[in-house]
Amino acid sequence: MGYLLESTWYILQGCTTTLKLFALTLLFSLPLGFICAMAKTSKVKPLKFLMELYTSVVRGTPLLLQIFFVYYGLPIFFPGLRLERFTAAVLTFILNYGAYFTEIFRGGIQSIDRGQYEAARVLGMNYRQTMSRIILPQTFKRVLPPVANEAITLVKDTALVVVLGIGEVLRNSKEIVARDFTISPFIIAAVIYLMLNYVVVLIFRKLEQRYSVYE
Amino acid sequence: MNNTMIKVENLHKNFGSLEVLKGIDLEVRKGEIISIIGPSGSGKSTLLRCLIHLEKTSSGSIIIEGSPISFEEDGRQIHFAESVIRERCRKLGMVFQNFNLFPHKTAIENICEAPVALGRKSKAAALAFGERLLERVGLSEKRNSYPCHLSGGQKQRVAIARALAMEPDVMLFDEPTSALDPELIGEVLAVIKELAEDDMTMLIVTHEMTFAREVSGRVIFMDEGEIIEAAAPEKLFTDPDHPRIKTFLEKML
């Protein structure tokens, strides 16, 4: 029992890094996705093209490969640009999740009925007023389920940074597995991820409930 | 005093190679109630949508209370900035077939949204005015209901109140009862009739012939992008000049 507690405590220490990666990624990729979605739904052709390039490259290649590329590849192209391991990981995650959020928000914005734009327009609202007061609040509600999906995936994806040797939940459990030849740390890790995601699900369920008063 | 509210000259509208409006001339005077009837695809709705600039005109002039939003001079089309057009179109209010209420806002919020957003009224003033409008359309008790909890007829009445909240000089109705169950049509028409009694200038695209006959001072029959005949309802409904109108009316009744 003492052994299990000790292992759990050690693995839990990795939680700080996991949670930091999770929080920083959401904190920056959500606004990034929002801005890119606005650009993608705008009428500015070069901007739309740039966003198309961004989302297709990022969504079309493995996240693991992107982590390798940013950490090992960037210094080759830009000598001197040697990023801290954690910084490289966060940066990659933000760019990666930003691309997915871009597509989720774009889909959300475009799913709003054209009649909503027309109603706002005949009432005299300009584009900015229409977006901020009419379209985006409705979009927010619609994108909650897919955003929740991404957040859940993100909790699990944080484990990928084990390849950079960053001491998060999976890395810490692996260390014990390698030292003690037992797989119980993996089970502990699984339970930790499960619990983290349970919290994520709860938060999003609350949000969805709050916005379910209409429709 | 010039009491022309809307003046339309030689208005054309194409969707690609499809010519939807083929030279419309129309003058709407203050206090006039005009019904626009005709078969589907005749361009009735497109005409209304051009007036409030939901559709960009292909050529021709639209002048709202002396200010053009589209202007043709010596065969040259003059264009105006979006913001200018938006400002000039504010004299008009519009009610849609599908209501297009904002689903995330309650009845009163739907009504107060635009006046507050555009800085036309303080929040308190908009609220007080909005409540009067809700009372006028008979929905005071639905003040805090979301559109999903309203019947079609109630939605359309809220939509009318929402348009009135911007205090337009002219109201455009685009088939306001076409999406409603038959038993709900009456309540919406009653609200429009009340507006008529208050001398609101109105353009109504409708398939409700009895209503059109009863409420309008002038009825316009459109077919294939043209105004075939514009006349007083008694004349148009009983003795139209054009055989096409006779055929249409026979089918409607």
Side-chain angles (χ1 to χ4, degrees):
Chain A
M1 199 61 206
Y3 173 76
L4 267 186
L5 272 178
E6 205 181 297
S7 315
T8 308
W9 176 241
Y10 183 67
I11 297 169
L12 270 177
Q13 286 175 334
C15 249
T16 328
T17 310
T18 298
L19 283 176
K20 226 165 86 185
L21 183 58
F22 175 80
L24 284 173
T25 303
L26 274 194
L27 191 67
F28 288 100
S29 64
L30 281 169
L32 175 69
F34 174 73
I35 292 165
C36 293
M38 294 304 283
K40 213 170 176 180
T41 51
S42 78
K43 283 178 183 145
V44 190
K45 280 259 165 61
L47 216 54
K48 285 174 82 158
F49 174 77
L50 212 68
M51 290 306 127
E52 189 59 46
L53 191 71
Y54 165 52
T55 54
S56 37
V57 168
V58 170
R59 295 199 308 161
T61 55
L63 175 54
L64 191 55
L65 180 66
Q66 292 165 12
I67 295 171
F68 283 143
F69 182 82
V70 170
Y71 185 64
Y72 297 109
L74 277 190
I76 297 170
F77 291 106
F78 307 99
L81 194 73
R82 175 114 223 154
L83 293 173
E84 197 75 35
R85 281 181 303 176
F86 185 74
T87 315
V90 171
L91 193 69
T92 317
F93 272 70
I94 290 170
L95 286 175
N96 183 279
Y97 275 80
Y100 286 95
F101 287 136
T102 301
E103 287 303 319
I104 288 173
F105 294 157
R106 179 196 58 79
I109 291 169
Q110 288 176 343
S111 76
I112 305 295
D113 181 49
R114 206 176 50 133
Q116 293 291 308
Y117 291 90
E118 294 188 345
R121 184 177 176 123
V122 300
L123 288 168
M125 291 189 212
N126 61 27
Y127 181 75
R128 222 198 64 239
Q129 291 160 336
T130 305
M131 288 315 273
S132 66
R133 288 172 171 266
I134 307 302
I135 306 301
L136 294 178
Q138 294 181 59
T139 305
F140 181 75
K141 179 195 156 108
R142 283 198 198 172
V143 299
L144 272 179
V147 167
N149 254 339
E150 286 304 313
I152 290 167
T153 309
L154 175 57
V155 168
K156 295 174 291 178
D157 274 355
T158 56
L160 287 174
V161 301
V162 81
V163 297
L164 296 186
I166 296 172
E168 41 68 74
V169 171
L170 185 62
R171 155 101 189 180
N172 286 10
S173 11
K174 250 180 80 179
E175 275 176 20
I176 306 176
V177 170
R179 189 187 66 198
D180 301 342
F181 295 109
T182 156
I183 62 150
S184 61
F186 280 155
I187 294 167
I188 294 167
V191 171
I192 290 174
Y193 284 118
L194 210 56
M195 288 196 310
L196 287 179
N197 264 332
Y198 183 66
V199 174
V200 171
V201 167
L202 275 187
I203 290 171
F204 276 93
R205 191 176 296 161
K206 270 271 171 303
L207 275 172
E208 276 185 48
Q209 270 165 5
R210 230 179 90 190
Y211 285 89
S212 67
V213 285
Y214 70 89
E215 269 182 347
Chain B
M1 204 184 103
N2 186 357
N3 61 1
T4 300
M5 305 301 273
I6 302 177
K7 197 173 165 66
V8 179
E9 273 175 355
N10 196 26
L11 175 65
H12 286 263
K13 173 67 189 173
N14 310 321
F15 289 113
S17 59
L18 184 71
E19 211 179 352
V20 182
L21 296 177
K22 303 169 182 167
I24 300 287
D25 294 297
L26 174 69
E27 195 173 334
V28 183
R29 285 178 296 275
K30 193 168 175 23
E32 238 192 328
I33 297 164
I34 301 176
S35 290
I36 306 174
I37 63 170
S40 18
S42 57
K44 311 179 296 284
S45 292
T46 309
L47 172 60
L48 278 201
R49 293 169 59 83
C50 282
L51 294 182
I52 201 159
H53 205 68
L54 284 176
E55 304 289 351
K56 215 175 153 147
T57 55
S58 299
S59 69
S61 304
I62 299 172
I63 299 157
I64 299 169
E65 295 182 32
S67 309
I69 60 165
S70 172
F71 200 66
E72 190 183 326
E73 199 175 36
D74 308 324
R76 270 199 12 255
Q77 196 65 33
I78 298 168
H79 296 282
F80 298 91
E82 276 294 308
S83 54
V84 171
I85 292 175
R86 198 162 44 236
E87 189 57 45
R88 291 177 179 176
C89 282
R90 268 178 211 173
K91 303 269 199 283
L92 314 179
M94 183 155 180
V95 172
F96 299 90
Q97 180 177 348
N98 302 319
F99 332 122
N100 292 338
L101 287 179
F102 305 133
H104 60 305
K105 304 212 169 271
T106 60
I108 189 76
E109 287 169 349
N110 260 280
I111 294 169
C112 296
E113 187 66 16
V116 173
L118 274 62
R120 288 276 286 258
K121 281 191 166 71
S122 72
K123 208 159 182 189
L127 218 57
F129 188 51
E131 259 147 28
R132 284 222 310 279
L133 289 171
L134 266 181
E135 203 184 317
R136 198 167 159 190
V137 299
L139 287 173
S140 294
E141 81 281 8
K142 296 289 180 189
R143 185 186 186 279
N144 297 321
S145 299
Y146 285 95
C148 60
H149 296 127
L150 299 175
S151 72
Q154 292 171 335
K155 279 185 203 166
Q156 195 60 300
R157 281 145 71 196
V158 172
I160 292 171
R162 178 176 71 174
L164 291 173
M166 290 303 288
E167 302 177 274
D169 294 339
V170 183
M171 284 283 277
L172 311 177
F173 291 87
D174 186 8
E175 303 197 25
T177 58
S178 295
L180 297 178
D181 291 337
E183 77 269 22
L184 301 176
I185 291 174
E187 62 189 69
V188 172
L189 294 184
V191 168
I192 301 176
K193 266 183 212 161
E194 247 174 67
L195 288 179
E197 279 156 23
D198 294 348
D199 292 322
M200 172 63 84
T201 312
M202 296 193 276
L203 270 170
I204 309 166
V205 170
T206 185
H207 291 295
E208 296 292 322
M209 295 303 145
T210 327
F211 170 75
R213 188 169 178 168
E214 208 176 309
V215 81
S216 21
R218 199 158 33 127
V219 179
I220 289 174
F221 182 86
M222 281 184 74
D223 194 15
E224 293 180 354
E226 288 173 309
I227 293 180
I228 306 294
E229 188 172 341
E234 304 79 43
K235 165 88 171 67
L236 197 126
F237 283 112
T238 52
D239 180 28
D241 290 337
H242 222 281
R244 249 192 284 180
I245 305 177
K246 255 184 211 145
T247 333
F248 173 77
L249 288 174
E250 274 160 19
K251 266 190 270 175
M252 289 302 287
L253 297 171

